[in-house]
Short mmCIF file of all heavy atoms in Angstrom, two decimals:
data_model
loop_
_atom_site.label_atom_id
_atom_site.label_comp_id
_atom_site.label_asym_id
_atom_site.label_seq_id
_atom_site.Cartn_x
_atom_site.Cartn_y
_atom_site.Cartn_z
N PHE F 28 -22.00 -14.02 -22.70
CA PHE F 28 -23.38 -13.74 -22.30
C PHE F 28 -24.36 -14.64 -23.04
O PHE F 28 -25.25 -14.17 -23.74
CB PHE F 28 -23.70 -12.25 -22.53
CG PHE F 28 -22.83 -11.35 -21.73
CD1 PHE F 28 -21.79 -10.67 -22.32
CD2 PHE F 28 -23.02 -11.20 -20.37
CE1 PHE F 28 -20.97 -9.85 -21.57
CE2 PHE F 28 -22.20 -10.38 -19.62
CZ PHE F 28 -21.18 -9.71 -20.23
N LEU F 69 1.02 -18.14 24.21
CA LEU F 69 1.92 -16.99 24.35
C LEU F 69 1.20 -15.78 24.91
O LEU F 69 1.45 -14.65 24.51
CB LEU F 69 2.54 -16.65 22.98
CG LEU F 69 3.32 -17.76 22.28
CD1 LEU F 69 3.79 -17.31 20.92
CD2 LEU F 69 4.51 -18.22 23.13
N ARG F 89 10.39 -10.74 14.53
CA ARG F 89 11.20 -9.59 14.10
C ARG F 89 12.16 -10.01 12.99
O ARG F 89 12.35 -9.28 12.01
CB ARG F 89 11.97 -9.02 15.30
CG ARG F 89 12.40 -7.57 15.11
CD ARG F 89 13.20 -7.05 16.29
NE ARG F 89 12.56 -7.27 17.58
CZ ARG F 89 11.58 -6.51 18.06
NH1 ARG F 89 11.14 -5.49 17.36
NH2 ARG F 89 11.05 -6.78 19.25
N GLY F 167 2.34 13.99 -9.38
CA GLY F 167 2.29 12.64 -9.93
C GLY F 167 1.48 12.59 -11.20
O GLY F 167 1.02 11.53 -11.63
N ASN F 195 1.28 2.98 -5.27
CA ASN F 195 0.07 3.68 -4.87
C ASN F 195 -1.10 2.73 -4.66
O ASN F 195 -1.33 1.83 -5.46
CB ASN F 195 -0.30 4.73 -5.93
CG ASN F 195 -1.42 5.63 -5.47
OD1 ASN F 195 -2.59 5.31 -5.63
ND2 ASN F 195 -1.06 6.76 -4.87
N GLU F 309 7.04 -14.49 6.39
CA GLU F 309 7.69 -15.73 5.97
C GLU F 309 6.95 -16.36 4.78
O GLU F 309 7.56 -16.87 3.84
CB GLU F 309 7.74 -16.72 7.12
CG GLU F 309 8.46 -18.02 6.77
CD GLU F 309 8.54 -18.99 7.93
OE1 GLU F 309 9.09 -18.60 8.98
OE2 GLU F 309 8.06 -20.13 7.78
N VAL F 310 5.62 -16.31 4.83
CA VAL F 310 4.81 -16.84 3.74
C VAL F 310 5.11 -16.08 2.44
O VAL F 310 5.22 -16.67 1.37
CB VAL F 310 3.31 -16.76 4.09
CG1 VAL F 310 2.45 -17.06 2.86
CG2 VAL F 310 2.97 -17.75 5.21
N ARG F 313 8.38 -17.18 0.86
CA ARG F 313 8.33 -18.47 0.18
C ARG F 313 7.51 -18.46 -1.10
O ARG F 313 7.76 -19.27 -2.00
CB ARG F 313 7.74 -19.52 1.13
CG ARG F 313 8.69 -20.04 2.19
CD ARG F 313 8.15 -21.25 2.90
NE ARG F 313 7.29 -20.89 4.02
CZ ARG F 313 5.98 -21.05 4.06
NH1 ARG F 313 5.35 -21.56 3.02
NH2 ARG F 313 5.28 -20.72 5.12
N HIS F 321 0.80 -15.90 -10.63
CA HIS F 321 -0.67 -15.98 -10.59
C HIS F 321 -1.30 -14.62 -10.90
O HIS F 321 -2.27 -14.54 -11.65
CB HIS F 321 -1.12 -16.46 -9.22
CG HIS F 321 -2.61 -16.43 -9.03
ND1 HIS F 321 -3.45 -17.37 -9.60
CD2 HIS F 321 -3.41 -15.56 -8.35
CE1 HIS F 321 -4.70 -17.08 -9.29
NE2 HIS F 321 -4.70 -15.99 -8.53
N TYR F 328 -6.06 -12.44 -17.91
CA TYR F 328 -7.42 -12.90 -18.23
C TYR F 328 -8.43 -11.79 -17.94
O TYR F 328 -9.36 -11.57 -18.73
CB TYR F 328 -7.74 -14.15 -17.42
CG TYR F 328 -9.08 -14.77 -17.75
CD1 TYR F 328 -9.29 -15.39 -18.98
CD2 TYR F 328 -10.12 -14.73 -16.83
CE1 TYR F 328 -10.52 -15.96 -19.28
CE2 TYR F 328 -11.36 -15.30 -17.12
CZ TYR F 328 -11.55 -15.91 -18.36
OH TYR F 328 -12.77 -16.46 -18.66
N PRO F 346 -1.19 1.81 -17.60
CA PRO F 346 -0.80 0.63 -18.40
C PRO F 346 -0.66 -0.63 -17.55
O PRO F 346 0.39 -0.87 -16.94
CB PRO F 346 0.55 1.06 -19.00
CG PRO F 346 1.09 2.08 -18.04
CD PRO F 346 -0.11 2.81 -17.51
N THR F 439 -27.65 2.60 -17.74
CA THR F 439 -27.80 3.30 -19.01
C THR F 439 -29.04 2.88 -19.79
O THR F 439 -29.48 3.61 -20.68
CB THR F 439 -26.57 3.03 -19.90
OG1 THR F 439 -26.48 1.62 -20.18
CG2 THR F 439 -25.30 3.48 -19.22
#
Side-chain angles (χ1 to χ4, degrees):
F28 298 104
L69 302 176
R89 202 182 309 280
N195 189 274
E309 183 179 303
V310 169
R313 283 191 274 110
H321 174 76
Y328 184 70
T439 62

